């Protein structure tokens, strides 16, 4: 139970760090790969599911790695970003230096 609780804290701490950086698509892809590797590693070491504890971080990584804004909108419209509200979705997409802020606002 302690490890599960700590995993939740680590996920939230990483989320705070992520939201204070900027990314291009390559940076988003690299971050997505790192998050998936971390979750896979922890899943093999811990009996409890850590995927749920890192779901928001996984969804942020998914957004940061998208090629186009329309892809992010599809994820949102299909419920693949259920842990993120529209404000958080926009906040995350604004971290991408190659996405125009006015396009982000128009999209959602």
């Amino acid at each position: 139970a302690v490890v599960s609780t700590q995993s939740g804290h680590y996920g939230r701490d990483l989320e705070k760090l992520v939201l204070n950086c900027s990314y291009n698509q390559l940076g988003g892809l690299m971050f997505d790969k790192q998050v998936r590797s971390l979750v896979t590693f922890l899943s093999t070491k811990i009996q409890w599911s850590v995927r749920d504890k890192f779901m928001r971080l996984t969804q942020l990584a998914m957004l940061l790695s998208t090629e186009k804004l329309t892809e992010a909108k599809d994820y949102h419209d299909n419920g693949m970003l259920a842990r993120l509200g529209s404000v958080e979705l926009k906040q995350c997409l604004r971290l991408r230096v190659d996405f125009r802020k006015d396009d982000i606002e128009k999209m959602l």
Side-chain angles (χ1 to χ4, degrees):
V2 172
V3 176
S4 178
T5 302
Q6 284 301 106
S7 295
H9 291 301
Y10 293 142
R12 285 187 294 280
D13 289 345
L14 284 171
E15 186 179 324
K16 289 176 188 174
L17 289 172
V18 168
L19 295 175
N20 286 314
C21 298
S22 59
Y23 303 84
N24 59 19
Q25 186 187 10
L26 179 59
L29 288 168
M30 291 172 60
F31 177 67
D32 184 53
K33 181 180 177 184
Q34 291 171 341
V35 168
R36 285 186 282 114
S37 295
L38 174 65
V39 170
T40 300
F41 172 77
L42 289 174
S43 294
T44 63
K45 302 297 180 192
I46 302 170
Q47 293 177 354
W48 301 281
S49 174
V50 294
R51 294 190 188 281
D52 188 55
K53 302 289 184 186
F54 287 89
M55 187 57 65
R56 285 177 51 85
L57 191 64
T58 301
Q59 291 177 1
L60 289 172
M62 184 188 318
L63 276 176
L64 290 172
S65 67
T66 58
E67 185 175 345
K68 299 177 183 177
L69 284 173
T70 54
E71 189 178 343
K73 181 163 177 38
D74 289 342
Y75 289 154
H76 180 261
D77 292 346
N78 292 320
M80 296 174 67
L81 304 171
R83 299 278 176 101
L84 302 175
S86 59
V87 171
E88 294 165 313
L89 178 70
K90 289 178 185 180
Q91 179 185 8
C92 180
L93 290 173
R94 284 189 207 109
L95 299 175
R96 284 284 298 270
V97 297
D98 48 340
F99 289 161
R100 293 181 33 202
K101 291 175 183 20
D102 57 328
D103 290 341
I104 294 168
E105 294 301 319
K106 288 178 198 173
M107 182 193 72
L108 299 169

